[in-house]
Amino acid sequence: KQEVTQIPAALSVPEGENLVLNCSFTDSAIYNLQWFRQDPGKGLTSLLLIQSSQREQTSGRLNASLDKSSGRSTLYIAASQPGDSATYLCAVKEGGSEKLVFGKGTKLTVNP
Amino acid sequence: EAGVTQSPTHLIKTRGQQVTLRCSPISGHTSVYWYQQALGLGLQFLLWYDEGEERNRGNFPPRFSGRQFPNYSSELNVNALELEDSALYLCASSLHLYGGRQETQYFGPGTRLLVL
């Protein structure tokens, strides 16, 4: 059974700092991995999707990497801003299934 | 282009009642997914519908059911509500390309259900 773990569960940083969020998964047979952002009480916003054949994806200040063999992904946020404060969720799409398996998220607070 | 929409936004029910949640996918998307986000449990996959058919189901009891209509909108029904059904229910949609490139799932704002 696929399990996704995100570390740390919560992170508080000063504005301007570069930071890394970690995601690990137990079964490397995945189609893709997605990083989402969730604001309190709201739905999810897709940030980056990495196909299983890819190693990384970049969008603006965000960079996500994928190492399938070791079951790890990282989300790098450069020059963090207070508006980046949210919960960041990692999810993998399993091979042979359309369902996403989510981690419990990392709650990020960027202090002005 | 309109995103995924869900209704209602909030709902309060009592134990034993039944509830119906609704979802309209992004125009052109044929797949609809339902997820439950209960406090402390994280997001759990509930159901996947594509082209009007249930394609996959998560580890939930049969009192969780749904359907997809010809216009690809979807309903999630929960019968005999229990206190632990209190959660944010999220709907997502995507294009579904069999054997092709995997598409992003786009999420709606969710319906927050409170069972008293």
Side-chain angles (χ1 to χ4, degrees):
Chain A
K1 178 188 169 187
Q2 179 75 266
E3 291 183 1
V4 179
T5 303
Q6 291 187 246
I7 294 173
L11 184 62
S12 181
V13 300
E15 182 176 3
E17 193 162 296
N18 301 325
L19 57 99
V20 174
L21 307 181
N22 296 294
C23 171
S24 62
F25 47 95
T26 55
D27 187 344
S28 62
I30 63 170
Y31 273 153
N32 63 43
L33 183 144
Q34 277 185 263
W35 283 93
F36 293 89
R37 168 189 173 134
Q38 185 174 31
D39 293 284
K42 302 291 179 64
L44 276 60
T45 301
S46 179
L47 297 173
L48 290 165
L49 181 149
I50 311 177
Q51 304 291 354
S52 61
S53 58
Q54 297 175 320
R55 293 300 297 257
E56 66 177 339
Q57 282 286 337
T58 298
S59 175
R61 295 183 294 108
L62 305 179
N63 175 277
S65 68
L66 174 64
D67 184 341
K68 250 183 59 169
S69 60
S70 67
R72 295 180 187 276
S73 176
T74 60
L75 178 66
Y76 175 83
I77 302 177
S80 58
Q81 302 170 358
D84 295 331
S85 297
T87 295
Y88 290 80
L89 294 161
C90 165
V92 298
K93 181 179 283 189
E94 298 182 298
S97 166
E98 284 300 309
K99 72 176 186 179
L100 293 177
V101 180
F102 284 84
K104 292 190 175 181
T106 294
K107 184 177 181 180
L108 172 66
T109 303
V110 181
N111 301 299
Chain B
E1 179 182 302
V4 177
T5 60
Q6 292 186 243
S7 64
T9 55
H10 294 82
L11 208 48
I12 300 175
K13 293 284 187 178
T14 56
R15 284 178 58 190
Q17 285 190 308
Q18 177 265 344
V19 69
T20 298
L21 311 181
R22 295 177 176 82
C23 172
S24 291
I26 291 172
S27 177
H29 285 186
T30 61
S31 278
V32 170
Y33 312 81
W34 287 95
Y35 294 86
Q36 181 196 64
Q37 188 175 34
L39 199 62
L41 292 181
L43 268 156
Q44 305 286 325
F45 167 77
L46 261 167
L47 290 159
W48 167 39
Y49 291 95
D50 184 64
E51 298 284 359
E53 301 284 333
E54 181 179 306
R55 303 293 185 181
N56 201 355
R57 183 182 181 85
N59 189 25
F60 281 84
R63 58 191 185 82
F64 286 83
S65 65
R67 55 180 173 167
Q68 187 179 33
F69 298 98
N71 66 355
Y72 303 115
S73 67
S74 176
E75 285 182 352
L76 174 68
N77 299 294
V78 187
N79 294 321
L81 284 167
E82 301 179 1
L83 297 179
E84 52 265 35
D85 296 334
S86 296
L88 180 66
Y89 288 85
L90 292 168
C91 170
S93 75
S94 76
L95 291 170
H96 186 72
L97 306 174
Y98 288 92
R101 186 169 59 91
Q102 302 302 314
E103 292 289 336
T104 300
Q105 293 183 17
Y106 295 89
F107 283 75
T111 293
R112 187 164 295 281
L113 172 65
L114 178 62
V115 182
L116 301 176

